[in-house]
Structures are given as C-alpha cells and as structure tokens.
C-alpha cells in the first residue's frame, strides 16, 4: 500500500528534504506532495493570465491558481505534515490544518516549543506534535511499517 | 429566516460589538456565535479536569474543551467572519477559515490592508475581504435583506 | 411541514410574483427565497468594499458577495424553480441548476418551448419542465398537499 | 501522480485540441475527458432505445444517456475547464460549472472578455479565468509541475 | 423531540390509518408523511404539464413530479415504514427501502410471513420486520418513549 | 479509463452473458460485477455460520452475508444495469435501484414494455430504459467510446 | 441556541441524573437524550415481534429495534457523554464512541482512572476525559455559556 | 478486483494468521491490514516525541499516533473483521466497529458464544457473526469468488 503525505508550511529551511530523505533511507513507500514551494513562482502563479497592478488582486489571482494544486493534493493525501517556522505569519499552514481537520485527514504538526501556546488550537486537532523532521520520519515509519 | 453568523479571531478590539450593534440597528435577524472570548477563561477551560503542570498538555486539554463549542458553532453557522488584528499569530483564526473552506461555509475576512500578502490564501477562499466592521454589517444587511 | 422554494433566474418578468401569489391563494405553507433580484443592486453588491475600476474584478467582487446569499439559500431549499426567459444568456440560472443537481435538490425548469433544445441537459436533470408559472403553482400544490 | 482534466463546453472551435496538444508538448501526465463532442451523435444518443417523434422527449432521452458519461467523468476529474464561445446558449457548460462548484471540483473558465458580465457568477466560483487555450496549458503545467 | 415517520408502500388497505390512529392514542409526537396515496391522482401528477399519449412518458412525467415530494420526505424522515401487501409488484416500496438503506435511515418492514423469501434483501437491511400495524405502533412507542 | 458496471436482478435468462459478450465484442474496457447469481448458493450463503431452522433467520443471515459483496460492488460501480424479468417479485432489483439513486450512481433499467407502469418510479430515477441486452451494449459503447 | 447531549453507557449508577440535575441547576438549555436505560425493557425490545427462543436472535432483534432510537439520537446530538463504570463489558458504549468519532460528533468520556489504559483509543478520540458527573456539568456549562 | 480487509481486535491468539493463511490457500486477492499488533510497540508509539511520565498523556500520545494508521486503514478497507477474545476489555475493537458502522463499512464479528449478550449492539450492526477464523475465510471466499 502506497501512502501519500502532504507537506504544508514553511519554505525557508530544509525540513521537507530531511523528511523525504529519511523516508527514502527507510524505504518507505510514500509519495510526498506539496504546494509550489518556490516563493516567487508561487506569488506569480496568476501572472500568465495578465498581471494586475493592484496588489490584492494579483495575490488573489495567484492564490486561487495555487489552490487548484493544493486543494487536490490535500484531498488526496493520507497524512499531512504542517510545519511552522520561527518567522512570518504562516497563516496558510494553519489554513491547511483547518482544511485537514474538517476533512478528517490526520495531520502532524512540526514546530519548536516556543510557539506551543499560539498553536494550541492547531495542535489540539493534530494527531501528533513533532519538534524535528527526524521525529516525523519515525512516526511515518511506525505508521507504515508498524 | 434566521441567520447564524460565527465571529472568529482577534479578541483585543471591539469589532464583535460593532458588528453586533450594527446588525441590531438594522434589525437583522441574526444569531451571533463565537468561541469563548475571555482570554484567561479560554486558557483555563480544561483546568476543571485537573490542571496540568506541563504547558503543552494544559493547552492541549483546554483547546480540546474549547473545540467542543467551536466545532459545533462553526458547523451550525451560515456565514463566518474571520478577523485578523495587527498583533499575535492568530493561527486559530486561519484554522477556522480552513475549516469553513473545507465545509463549504462562506466566510468574510476582516483585516487591514498591510497584511494582504500573508493572508492571500485565506482571502482567496473567502467570499469577501472587509476592512471595517461597518463594511461587514453592510454585507450582512445586503445578504439578508437584499 | 413548511417548505422552502428557491426561485432562480430571469428577473425581467413577473414570474416570481405570479408563483408567490398563486401559492398564497392556495394557502401553501412555503417560504420563497431568491437571489437579490434588483439588477443594479446586485451588480453593485461589492462596491461597499471599494469600487473597482476593472470590470472583471468589480463583477467578481459583487458575484462573490451575492454568492454568500445564494449558496446558503440553495443549500436550504427543498425545491428550486429555474426560470429561463427569452433574452440574455442567463448562465447563472443554468449554474444554479447544476448546483441543485449535484446537491440532490429537486428542481423544476420554467421556460418556453422554443428553447427546449439548448436546455436539454438542464431539463434532463430536472424533475419537471413547466411552461407557465401557473403550472409551477399546480406542481407545488400537488407536492405539498397531495 | 496522474491528473484527470474534464473539458466542458463549446464544440465548434479547436480549443480542446490546442489544450491537449500543449499538454502533450510539455509532457504533462494528464488524462483528458469530455462529453461526446460530435453534435449529431450526442443529439441521437437515445435513439437506439427507439426514436421519439416528440422533440422534448427525444432530447430528454438523449441527454439522460449522455449524462451517464458526463456525470461519471465530472465526478472523477481533478480539474475542469469550462469553455464558452461566442455563439449559442451553452447552458450545459454553465450547468457543468455549477456541478463542479457544488462538488468542490476546481475549475477554470475559458472565454473572451466580452462576456465577462453575463458569466460573472460562473467566474466567481472558478479558480481562474483564461482567455486562450495556451493560458490554460500554462496553468495546468504550473499546477502539475510547479 | 418531534419524530418524523415516512409511510411507504401499499395503498389498498388501512395500514396507514391504523398506525396513525395507534400513535395518536398513545400520544406519540410524530409527524407522519407519505407519498400521495390516491392512485389516480398519483398517476396523473404530471398531466398538468400536458398529458402525453405515450404511456411510458406519461408515467415518467408523473413519477418525476411525485419524486419531488417523496425524495424530500424520505430525506427528512427519522424512520420509514415499508409496507408490502399481497398484491401487485410494489417495486416502488422496495425502491424506497433501497434509498433509506443508502441514506442510513432506519426502516421497519411490514408484511405477512408468506413473502419472507422474496423480501429477504429488503428485510436484511431493515431494523425490524413487523406483521401488523399494531406491532409497528408498539415499536414507535418504544422508540420514542422508551 | 476502465469502467465498472454492476449487473443487478433477474437470474433466469442469459441477459448478463449477452451484455458481457457484446461488450467484449466491442472491446469495451469494462469490469462487470454482480451479486452471486447461483440461486442455491445465494440462499445458503450464511449456512457456514450454522444453518437456522427458522426460515426468516436463515434468509436474514444469508442476505446479510450477500450484502457484504453487493454493498461493496454497488458503491464501486460507475453504472448499474437493473434487470426485471417476467417472473417473481424481484424486490432486490428495485432495492438496488433505490440504493443507486440515493448514492447518485447512474443506472439503466432493462425490462419489457408490459411492466412499464409498476416500474414507473424505478424508471423515473434511471438514466435510460432498455428493452434488450443489445441496447444496453450500445449504450455502454456510446458512454465509453463516444 | 438549544443544545442536545446524548448520554451513552453504564446504567447502574446515577450519573445521568447527576448531570441532568447539575445542568438544570445552572439553567443550561440542554435536551438530554439516551438509549432506553431500563435493562429488561431494552433486552425485550424486540419481543413484541415474536420472542425468539434462540438467544442470539432474541438479542439481535432487540438490539436492532434499540438502534432505531440510538442511531437517530446520536446523529442528532451536538455532544455525547460516554460513560464507563467498573463492571461489565460495556462494549456498546465504546461502539457509540466509535460512531461519534466517525460522524465528527465531539464526545466526553466519563470514567475512573483505573481504566485509563484499556480506554486509551476511546479517550484519544474524545475531546475530554472527566472523572465525575460534576466535571461534565462544568464542561457543559463552559461550552454553552462561556 | 482486489479487496482490502481490516483485521481489528484481540492480539493474543493466532486468529489473524489463520485468516490470512486460509485466504492464501484459497488464492483470494486480499490485502489484509491491521493496527500495529505488537503490544509494547503500540503502547510506546508516541515515545519518540518525548516519553511522558503521566500515564494518561503517554497513552493519549501513543493512541493518537496509532490512530494515524488505523483511521487511514479503516477508511480504506472494504470489509472489517472485529475480533473479541475472552480476556481484557477490548474497547478498541468495539470502537472500531462503531467507526465502521457509521462509515457504512460492512464488518464481521468473530467471537465465542459466551459473549453474545454483551456484544449484542456490536453484532446487530454487523453483517455476520463468526465463531472461528475458518468461518471468516469461508465468508471472504464466498464474498469474493461467489
């Protein structure tokens, strides 16, 4: 049985690579999916349709284009990993967590312990809170291989 | 036809009161609902079950107790207003927006224009972005009365 | 048992009034609902949030505001009446019919016989095709009173 | 991951071929699906069951036969492209868009800018509005490859 | 708490009246619903839209009109009673039972013991098989009052 | 794209074989599924668990065992063919049709024209009524190949 | 807003009465529901249909009759309280918890701390674990009144 | 067609092996799935995230980690086998049965006849009650091969 794991959130550190590499080393049969993680490409996703001067509409157009991908991938995943780093607002990660919760998709949060309190609602609906990508790999290995 | 409107997010300004008062002045038949908005009561929601020393578990227990209320109210609402202020992480508001999106509940975001960019995914799934509580009242009046 | 009937489509003739009046004369316990049917108010629904110069975005903003009302009312209706007149594109009426079909809401189409062919897919998913508002009233009376 | 894209609407220009060819040139792993697009075959879909003299019932029978195919394909697609040309009523395209909206399927509209206003409700529930098949190909490439 | 009970099937004996009367005598807070049970009215339900000469289409039109009522009432019921008599095919009763099963609506069958074998699939998905209306009343009383 | 077609109903004529053979001759990529169609095996499905003396419970036990198969196969099918012959009650076929209708599965009925009237509710929710297996093959060919 | 709370499980102590009384004292607007809690009546629920000699079928018949009530009440509740005492197997309480989990109904478990380990899966899907009826009342008061 | 069968419950006897071996001997195309059945590994599932001193939270953390696997596998199964042995509380098995019932997944219970009475609610929603793994194999063979 192949598993599909969606990796949501922060794009400035190598957490995705570390999880994917760890899973590969353990031979886990996982297809990892993700939003487009190149910041500039993501912000410009709608520009092919005509670039808006207005900042709100440019963002709006690009975000809706991005959602074609993310909505599909979240609906198809078996597990999501929701990552919060130490910078930026990362509301999109919390939004993805809310989608997963409402869809009944189990998710694991990945964040440092200094943001436990503001993430308490997101963590409360999670199946686990991990602090390192290596812990996530262990959880995936246990989930898939037992 | 009575409408139910869930008010999610920031608890440090009077936006809820202004929306409720505006709706009352226009005679709109709305039942407004909300999470428990008193910060300390909310943080202590699980303490009646035995207060944990561990910060994560205290938050966890309280958040799950709070979710009994919020999950029910979000599922019962016709419209949600998702408010982001200029302070704090407010990940719970983005989480509620994600729940609404996945459940097909129309929601309106309420925030200043300096956070358009980090909120672009949340706004992209919203039915409207308002900058003042008075605009929200106008939208509710239009939605209900035409 | 109260019934809720959503009236969708053409806004230039008095078909809504004739159905509502007919239902009233027969004492049917129906709550009729509808999109905002005043053309100019509907087009301007989003202007309270700042009127866009760009025609697409002005329409986009207003249509999303309108959908807060229509999405709720369609989801709450027991029966929809989908009306096509002899003018304009009326794609919104066909769109509403598609929503009803996917949601399993029974709907009745109301249109003249000269547009049978282009409406064949919309009619195929309908429970009935009526040519006059009076026929719709008869169907509602039969449905509710037997 | 294979993607399935449903192509709905106008059958008089080569927009389907241009999208399929563009996707092929980019090596996108897409299965394209569609209603039967040969007009006469589609109108005669039910004739094998006995051809009705009555125009309404002949259309009705054929449309229901066609819906066996289209209902399945829409429910199985990941993305739909909804195309409106400059002729005919094309209510079936708007109907398909309504189905997609209610089922939570992301769709992209494809139409010229002179019909923005009558399509505003259909566009409001879309994830993007494209004006050329080549733009659609770019959106599919971005969605699938990042 | 009010209960809604849908009475489906045979229309030639007084089983509906006996159940309704028994429930009334016990003071049960039940709203009973039903298809239109007058045979001729039901067969003619679509005639107001123009009576077809063709027997299939006349039946088709009337049955679809009838389904506006029955589909709504089945979806709104808490419990269905599915009655099979000793005459006629009564496929509509079995059809209603299938709908209830797929929708997760608990239903009780009501029939004599000489048709146990042909009804075995319908009974297997039922919550109870009763042989008299009085037994049904007892089950309703127990279900509602304890 | 592979299609799955569930064949429900009468087991005394060769209609299943004729449909399967016709589909094979046309090279249609269909997986046909069905309940266990050997009458005695089906009636005895539960006997391995201990054969009941009581006729009702023996039927009950076997029917529930059979439903493990049929429920799965109906939920997985893309199209169902519902066949009524000229003998027996065949309530299970009408029950399957009701399940399909409630699940939104398109189905085709297959029966002679002398039972149009008692089947009118089952036909009304069908996408087509065929009188011969060869017509069903034509509909499948059209649905799959266009 | 009225709340509905389903009380599931152990029937040998007065925990239901203590919760109902506590809620009444606090003036909470709650409709409490429950399976039939009189043991003998519950075991005999199906006897009106003819009492079976066979223990399995008597239990089977009565349990299915009971499920007409419990399935409806669980689907209609906003919150469930799942109570485990110190005696008996109480598999029905764990079964109800599983139903609630799958339906997305928030539930609170009520049990002593000596059965934490065997109840860990049931508790893991709960929103709270209480040890006394009074704690449950506090949670209900907080959930409803804030 | 491949079938997926989830094996839930008791971990102290060889019932899983006997079912799997029997299915293999009959050449059934089944993928068997299961929770992690090594007791100590299961209890320690969350320890990689930091082992809690508090017994409740250690169990809680591990159970939620385990549910990532079990929730996915139950949602993906076609059939579940729910096994109750003669020892321990086995509330997790009853909980899984409740999930299956609410999700509409057919399940077979496997237990001795001395626990018929306490399992009556769980058995009432099951499609069959078996007493030996060999009977389960027969039911699977019949379900898959006819």
């Amino acid at each position: 049985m192949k598993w599909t794991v969606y990796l949501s959130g922060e794009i400035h550190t190598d957490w995705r690579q570390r999880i994917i590499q760890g899973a590969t080393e353990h031979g886990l049969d996982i297809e990892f999916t993700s939003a487009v993680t190149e910041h500039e490409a993501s912000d410009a996703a709608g520009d092919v349709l005509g670039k808006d001067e207005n900042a709100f509409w440019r963002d709006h157009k690009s975000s809706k284009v991005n959602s074609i991908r993310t909505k599909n991938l979240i609906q198809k995943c078996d597990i999501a990993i929701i990552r919060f780093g130490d910078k930026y607002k990362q509301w999109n990660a919390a939004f993805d967590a809310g989608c997963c919760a409402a869809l009944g998709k189990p998710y694991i949060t990945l964040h440092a312990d200094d943001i436990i309190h503001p993430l308490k609602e997101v963590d409360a609906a999670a199946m686990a809170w991990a602090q390192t990508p290596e812990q996530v790999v262990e959880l995936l290995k246990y989930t898939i291989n037992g």
Side-chain angles (χ1 to χ4, degrees), chain A:
Chain A
M1 185 178 288
K2 194 181 196 65
W3 292 70
T4 301
V5 176
Y6 185 75
L7 304 172
S8 168
E10 185 238 329
I11 59 174
H12 301 93
T13 66
D14 64 350
W15 69 277
R16 279 185 179 78
Q17 288 71 10
R18 285 162 67 188
I19 289 176
I20 293 170
Q21 183 179 327
T24 304
E25 286 169 11
H26 288 297
L28 304 180
D29 190 10
I30 297 177
E31 176 166 22
F32 288 101
T33 57
S34 206
V36 172
T37 56
E38 193 191 334
H39 195 165
E40 275 147 51
S42 173
D43 282 1
D47 290 356
V48 67
L49 301 170
K51 184 169 171 180
D52 279 85
E53 297 300 314
N54 181 302
F56 181 81
W57 291 124
R58 188 194 177 215
D59 275 348
H60 193 73
K61 200 191 280 186
S62 290
S63 292
K64 291 185 90 166
V65 168
N66 279 312
S67 77
I68 299 175
R69 176 181 171 104
T70 55
K71 187 170 185 176
N72 265 291
L73 297 179
I74 288 176
Q75 283 177 336
K76 288 177 179 170
C77 80
D78 301 310
I79 304 169
I81 315 300
I82 312 285
R83 162 72 181 159
F84 295 89
D86 55 1
K87 278 187 289 196
Y88 307 107
K89 292 295 191 179
Q90 306 173 85
W91 282 318
N92 59 320
F95 180 83
D96 284 355
C99 289
C100 288
L103 294 170
K105 301 277 180 191
Y107 67 87
I108 298 166
T109 56
L110 173 61
H111 62 81
D113 63 1
D114 57 350
I115 47 177
I116 284 178
H117 194 62
L119 277 172
K120 64 184 187 299
E121 287 87 2
V122 177
D123 283 344
M127 291 303 111
W129 159 49
Q131 291 175 269
T132 69
E134 287 66 36
Q135 287 175 319
V136 173
V137 172
E138 288 302 311
L139 294 179
L140 292 176
K141 185 174 67 154
Y142 177 80
T143 296
I144 294 173
N145 288 350

